[in-house]
Amino acid sequence: MKALGVLRRGMQTLLGWTGERGTLLACCGMCGGATSNKVQPGFGLLFDIDGVLVRGKTPIPAAKKAFQKLVDSRGQFLVPVVFVTNAGNCLRQKKANQLSHILGVHISPDQVMLSHSPLRMFRKYHDKCVLVSGQGPVLDIAKNLGFQKVVSIDMLREHFPLLDMVDHNRRPRLPSSPIVNLPRVEAIILFGEPVRWETNLQLIIDVLLTNGSLGNAYETCLSTHLPLLACNMDLMWMAEAQSPRFGHGMFLVCLENIYRKITGREVQYEALMGKPSELTYHYAEYMIREQAAVRGWKSPVRTLYAIGDNLMTDIYGANLYNRYLEERGRTRQTAVQPQHHQDAVLWSQGCPFGPVPHGTGTHSSGCRGRCGTHLPTGELSLY
């Protein structure tokens, strides 16, 4: 509540000042010197989109008015702003264009963070053959993130037509032999909920239980499975309907339960990203600092304010990352050896913005039923 009060007072000052906006920030103590007119903000803003700026495709009326107060007369932002969303079915440019239209201010793709944006860090997988699941231009999304060898669920169906048998109308009319010119799948990336859940669930399980070689029979005795990276853990999300709708977290629950039923073991995630993971907020902080550097703001960004509508994604995630920052600060003060950064070495080679938060690497599956989001087991309550 103390942090909420600080944010409320800060935003009241920022949005309620009636004078010149550049002068406002100087008077708030965010400039390098008392006599400088150049804006030097010491904080950044992280905005959720669905439920905060829009509801489904309908803009929230106050959002456009509020954002007019965050830009100067030239339309440039007075503070670094990043839009952090668990959506992941499009490219950043498309989402930036949508936000620009909704808010009436220019939004750059560099201000947009989708649930899959941190995958840019996972360079150890960029040259491997990865299977991608989701909807929208999944192949373009994967290649834009740096992945060079990408296979989609539709490509698997085309090459192995006998594997997708739930829909009788889509079954092959004549027996066919699998075409084996597809490379072996080496990792699986789950961008978001697909359209045909039964098809994606079937083929993802096939890949996991054949160790990436779909022409083989199941190997249920395998002690491990291929690396699995999942984006967007929302069990449900708010659209125009009166009640929340199923999200990608619900798809993950289905996948985990099927895998457990067949093998008796838990799904192991190489990484879970999207709010509320610490990894997402870590990458958002990097984007805020990059934005400040591009604008030439020399004052260090000391505070991040996360604005969202979901207690168990937006607020929980921000508090989880705040705990990580506090722990990192104590670790530095006591000069403890950073053994908790081993995850970063495992799957984030060449990370451009420092140590990755502990706990964002390998996870077993698990779901806290009361929280509205899919989380690794054993997390603490932070709300």
Side-chain angles (χ1 to χ4, degrees):
M1 293 302 295
K2 180 179 178 181
L4 183 61
V6 172
L7 173 60
R8 180 174 55 82
R9 290 192 297 273
M11 293 303 291
Q12 283 176 342
T13 303
L14 179 63
L15 299 179
W17 193 271
T18 56
E20 182 67 27
R21 292 176 193 143
T23 307
L24 157 66
L25 292 175
C27 293
C28 290
M30 290 178 281
C31 289
T35 59
S36 174
N37 289 326
K38 187 177 181 181
V39 173
Q40 293 287 323
F43 68 92
L45 299 175
L46 307 178
F47 283 97
D48 179 36
I49 297 177
D50 293 304
V52 173
L53 306 178
V54 297
R55 185 163 181 172
K57 295 183 179 180
T58 305
I60 293 177
K64 185 173 183 179
K65 182 178 180 181
F67 268 81
Q68 293 299 325
K69 296 179 179 291
L70 290 176
V71 297
D72 60 20
S73 56
R74 296 174 297 172
Q76 292 188 323
F77 278 92
L78 298 168
V79 296
V81 172
V82 169
F83 300 88
V84 185
T85 175
N86 273 353
N89 60 352
C90 65
L91 297 169
R92 291 194 300 170
Q93 181 65 63
K94 180 177 180 180
K95 183 63 70 174
N97 292 342
Q98 292 173 349
L99 289 171
S100 298
H101 176 72
I102 290 169
L103 300 175
V105 297
H106 175 69
I107 306 299
S108 164
D110 293 331
Q111 293 178 280
V112 176
M113 181 176 175
L114 304 172
S115 61
H116 51 62
S117 294
L119 284 169
R120 296 177 184 277
M121 299 187 307
F122 290 74
R123 297 175 184 172
K124 64 179 288 187
Y125 295 114
H126 285 183
D127 62 349
K128 298 185 182 298
C129 179
V130 297
L131 171 66
V132 294
S133 169
Q135 56 182 290
V138 291
L139 295 178
D140 292 338
I141 292 170
K143 291 175 181 178
N144 184 263
L145 291 168
F147 296 94
Q148 301 166 24
K149 305 173 185 177
V150 187
V151 176
S152 69
I153 294 291
D154 287 339
M155 292 169 65
L156 288 188
R157 282 193 69 254
E158 180 181 348
H159 285 76
F160 298 93
L162 297 180
L163 297 182
D164 182 21
M165 303 295 285
V166 174
D167 187 343
H168 289 229
N169 293 324
R170 297 211 304 170
R171 289 182 179 180
R173 300 301 180 188
L174 298 173
S176 60
S177 300
I179 303 172
V180 292
N181 60 352
L182 274 183
R184 172 181 170 269
V185 174
E186 299 173 277
I188 302 172
I189 298 175
L190 308 179
F191 283 137
E193 63 271 22
V195 176
R196 287 183 173 269
W197 285 34
E198 77 285 355
T199 297
N200 288 60
L201 289 169
Q202 176 71 77
L203 295 184
I204 292 168
I205 289 292
D206 287 340
V207 171
L208 289 174
L209 296 184
T210 61
N211 202 31
S213 300
L214 284 176
N216 299 338
Y218 281 1
E219 299 179 45
T220 56
C221 60
L222 291 173
S223 57
T224 60
H225 58 68
L226 294 175
L228 184 63
L229 300 90
C231 312
N232 182 359
M233 297 171 277
D234 286 350
L235 281 177
M236 295 184 287
W237 64 286
M238 202 67 200
E240 290 93 343
Q242 295 300 313
S243 301
R245 303 294 87 195
F246 288 172
H248 191 222
M250 202 70 75
F251 178 83
L252 298 181
V253 171
C254 296
L255 177 66
E256 292 160 9
N257 279 279
I258 294 171
Y259 185 85
R260 185 187 306 113
K261 199 72 173 179
I262 295 174
T263 67
R265 295 187 301 275
E266 301 290 339
V267 165
Q268 299 289 325
Y269 292 101
E270 183 77 359
L272 289 164
M273 62 202 76
K275 296 176 292 187
S277 79
E278 296 159 286
L279 175 61
T280 290
Y281 288 88
H282 194 58
Y283 195 78
E285 179 191 354
Y286 164 72
M287 293 178 65
I288 286 284
R289 296 188 186 281
E290 285 288 288
Q291 193 178 139
V294 169
R295 293 291 302 275
W297 292 328
K298 304 299 182 182
S299 179
V301 177
R302 300 186 182 278
T303 306
L304 294 177
Y305 293 113
I307 297 96
D309 67 317
N310 192 322
L311 285 176
M312 291 312 303
T313 53
D314 307 311
I315 308 307
Y316 178 92
N319 287 337
L320 190 67
Y321 186 58
N322 186 63
R323 185 182 69 174
Y324 158 73
L325 293 175
E326 291 174 346
E327 290 176 351
R328 187 177 70 175
R330 287 194 295 268
T331 300
R332 287 178 174 176
Q333 291 175 1
T334 56
V336 175
Q337 292 297 321
Q339 68 271 14
H340 60 288
H341 296 325
Q342 291 177 351
D343 285 343
V345 178
L346 290 176
W347 47 260
S348 183
Q349 298 174 351
C351 174
F353 51 89
V356 177
H358 176 52
T360 53
T362 303
H363 292 307
S364 62
S365 61
C367 175
R368 293 170 48 152
R370 67 186 178 84
C371 69
T373 190
H374 185 83
L375 295 172
T377 54
E379 291 288 1
L380 298 178
S381 176
L382 293 173
Y383 59 94

